[in-house]
Structures are given as C-alpha cells and as structure tokens.
Amino acid sequence: MHYDIAIVGAGPAGSTAAKFLSEGGMATLLLEKAAFPRDKPCGGGLQMRILHRFKYLKEYNLIDSYSSAIQLHSPSMKHHIHFQNDTPLQAMVLRKTFDENLVKLATRCGVTLKCGSKVQNITFKKENIQIFLSDGTSEESRMVIGADGAWSTIAKKIGMKLDCSHIGVCIYTEYPMSKKTIHQLYGHQHQVHIHLQPNGLAGYGWVFPKKEHVNIGITEFRQAINPALEKKNLQKHFESYLQILKKHDLMPKHLAKITTHGGAFPTRPVKSLVADRVLLCGDAGGLANPMTGEGIYYAMCSGEIAAKTAIKALENDKTDAYYLKRYQREWNREFNLDFILHSRLSKRWGKNLENLIELASNDKKLIDIICNAIPNPKGIQKEKWKIISRFIVAYCTNRLRKYVTPS
C-alpha cells in the first residue's frame, strides 16, 4: 500500500503525530521496531500541563496515579523544599502501558501499525520515499517523520545526529509494590522525592511512587561535566543512592534486587528539524528538556505540531524543506526561549547547589509561587520570570542580612 506519510518510532511523539495525521485524513503508517507492550528508559513523571493540552490522556484513563506533594532535598540532605497542594502536582504513567495505549488510540483513528521490524535505510525517489525494513520488506510514502529516539536512523540519514557532549544518561528501575507499602512510605499524597546531586552526581535522583509501583533512578547531565574528568560509574552511584533512600526510610530496607535499566536522552536540539519530505520529532530531534530531561510532553507537542504541518504540506503538495520549516518556526515560537534558558541553567548541575536550596527553603513566598505554578496549564515555565526575580530578592535579602548582622 502507498501511504501519505510514514512515521518511524511509535513512542509518544510518533503515536501522537500518527493520531493527528489520521484524524486529518492522511493515510498513515506507523513503524515500530519492537512489539508491544515494551518498556522505555523513563521515570514516568508528567507535569500537569500535559493533561491540559492532551485532554484525551485523562479521558481514556492513560494516567496511572497522581502525586500532590513533592520534596526537593539538598546534596547534603540538610535542607529541603516541600511543595504540596490540594490538587495534583504531578501525574504518573507506566511507560509499558502508556505507550501501548497511545498506539491503540492512533490505530482506532485508522493508522496502520507495523511492529517487529527496524528501519534500516530510506531512499528518496522523485515522488516518494522508500523505507527498507530489517525483515526484507519495504514501504513507500510521500513523507517521513522520524520519531525513532536519540540515536535516530532518520536523523542520521538527513545529516542530523546527536551531539554526544550534550546528553543525559540515566539508570532506573521500577519496583512492584503494594498499595499499603506505598501509602506507608509516601503517604496518601504519594509524595515525590527529588535528591539534587546525590554523592556529587552532576544531576539528580528521583523517587516516583505510583499506584502499585515505585520508579527510582538517577540521571547525570554530561554538558555539566568537564570532559577531561573520568566518567563516573553510574551503576555504583545508583546502588549508593538506594542506600541513601533506605537510610531515610524512603524505600523498604529489604527490597528484593531487580534488574536496572539504562538509557540516554538528548539535551540539545539538532540543528534542523526538517529536510525535504522529512520531519524530526521527540528525542530524534533532540527535543527533551535540557535541565530536567523531561521528554514526554515535548515529544507529544512536537508530534502534534509536525502532524499539523505535514497535513498542510501534503494537501498543498509542498513537501520541500522550505515549506516544512513552518514546523521549526512553530516549535521555536512555543519552546525555543525556554530551551535556551534551561540549557544555560543545566550547566549548574556541575556546581554545588547546597546554598541555593538552603536559600529557597527559607523563603515561603518563593515556595508558594512555585507550588502554584506547577499545576498551571502552561506549567512552571509560565511563571519562570516571577520565580527568577523572587530568587534574586531572596538572595539579596540573605546577603544583606549577613552583612548587617554582627558576627
């Protein structure tokens, strides 16, 4: 069969793009190298803004659970910032079921799904793109969307590859746990814990309680590390992190050891998200938050924007790079300024954040501003300048207090 568009990769970016394209009347093929259900390296925590933009996630019950309390811990564990609200501050998903359900939504809209074969190459013909699969078959389409992850085959094919000096690496595991134990450890609010720079790591550790699981992991941001220094053994860091959690009663003392998983994510967008007849979405385009590694929201947004651009391009028979740059412009309009700010802030992971957390923990107004911003439909980014200005006020007040207080 001949398709209007083929999407390589059926994660949140690919599935979202496929859904919008099919709803827009495009004959859509969705290609995935693995069979569902399959897992992905991810904590599975979502900012609440994703539910405001993609309301069908809640309508189709794709959310596993919610957390209405978050606690940030300083590197020394001496200082803490506690956020809590009557409404949820964070939504939780299990990637194995979340991704599969996103694909089901796409196929219900008429998307053709083909799993179990990896895309090995694409060639450009006069009218179409031929896609060669590992099972020896091939498909043809007028356009291609690359949503095939950080090490994207499609991105490489159009000369856009991941900058390995700007990546995050993570190790995590997801423990099955009874509702009773989760309630005992994290309370009825399912309190999230974020540990900044545990054991000197240039990143953070997380504890994400879910309905009957708890996701625990650490991540390191390579752009914040001097490349001349020896790389840390993340597996050993993870094991040390588990000991910290046990010491502070944030996980059972005698939890059975289970397999850990690792992964990498981009912290810098590729130079161009478009080429003739090709668009890049999600991690394939380097579209993950440079400071936190958050990827699902940006993946789904990029999938939606790419789909809307592709529909207009196909309807007008204008699939050249010049026309498709509308996608890049729309992405930049929504997210570029935030990404520039987060990229600069991400380099702070290489510097001690102890004083910053101590400062923030003593400023109730700052905590209230952040807490009210977290569930905002546009996310914490909506209030970023208010938060930054309050940080400056708190810093200056603290310096002045030290200056005028006799020693």
Side-chain angles (χ1 to χ4, degrees), residues 136-295:
T137 64
S138 67
E139 302 286 353
E140 288 194 7
S141 62
R142 293 169 63 193
M143 281 185 64
V144 166
I145 290 179
D148 47 338
W151 313 110
S152 169
T153 298
I154 306 303
K156 290 175 186 174
K157 188 65 182 176
I158 64 169
M160 296 295 140
K161 61 180 182 178
L162 188 67
D163 179 355
C164 291
S165 66
H166 282 73
I167 62 170
V169 290
C170 66
I171 288 184
Y172 81 101
T173 193
E174 199 149 62
Y175 291 96
M177 196 174 287
S178 70
K179 292 180 181 179
K180 180 180 178 181
T181 303
I182 289 173
H183 183 79
Q184 289 172 342
L185 292 172
Y186 313 112
H188 69 279
Q189 293 181 308
H190 280 206
Q191 181 165 272
V192 167
H193 292 269
I194 306 292
H195 295 86
L196 304 181
Q197 300 171 320
N199 293 318
L201 189 73
Y204 63 91
W206 70 82
V207 180
F208 288 170
K210 303 181 183 181
K211 189 181 292 183
E212 294 185 72
H213 295 79
V214 59
N215 189 295
I216 297 173
I218 60 171
T219 189
E220 179 182 62
F221 294 85
R222 290 285 165 85
Q223 70 267 25
I225 302 171
N226 185 336
L229 297 177
E230 184 179 353
K231 292 180 182 178
K232 290 182 171 65
N233 185 321
L234 277 192
Q235 183 63 44
K236 288 184 178 179
H237 261 277
F238 180 73
E239 291 167 3
S240 297
Y241 182 56
L242 294 182
Q243 295 307 311
I244 292 173
L245 299 181
K246 289 178 181 179
K247 180 181 177 181
H248 291 87
D249 296 320
L250 293 178
M251 66 178 291
K253 295 279 195 299
H254 304 291
L255 198 63
K257 190 173 183 179
I258 63 174
T259 304
T260 57
H261 305 276
F265 54 88
T267 57
R268 173 185 281 178
V270 297
K271 290 181 180 179
S272 177
L273 299 174
V274 307
D276 286 342
R277 293 181 275 173
V278 177
L279 302 172
L280 299 176
C281 293
D283 282 4
L287 306 179
N289 189 303
M291 186 173 69
T292 66
E294 177 193 6

Side-chain angles (χ1 to χ4, degrees), residues 40-72:
K40 282 286 182 179
C42 185
L46 307 176
Q47 285 193 31
M48 296 304 295
R49 59 181 172 167
I50 198 170
L51 300 182
H52 294 282
R53 182 160 184 159
F54 302 100
K55 292 181 171 58
Y56 58 84
L57 297 179
K58 194 170 183 178
E59 292 170 8
Y60 288 97
N61 200 29
L62 269 64
I63 305 302
D64 177 78
S65 61
Y66 297 92
S67 294
S68 54
I70 300 172
Q71 191 159 33
L72 294 182

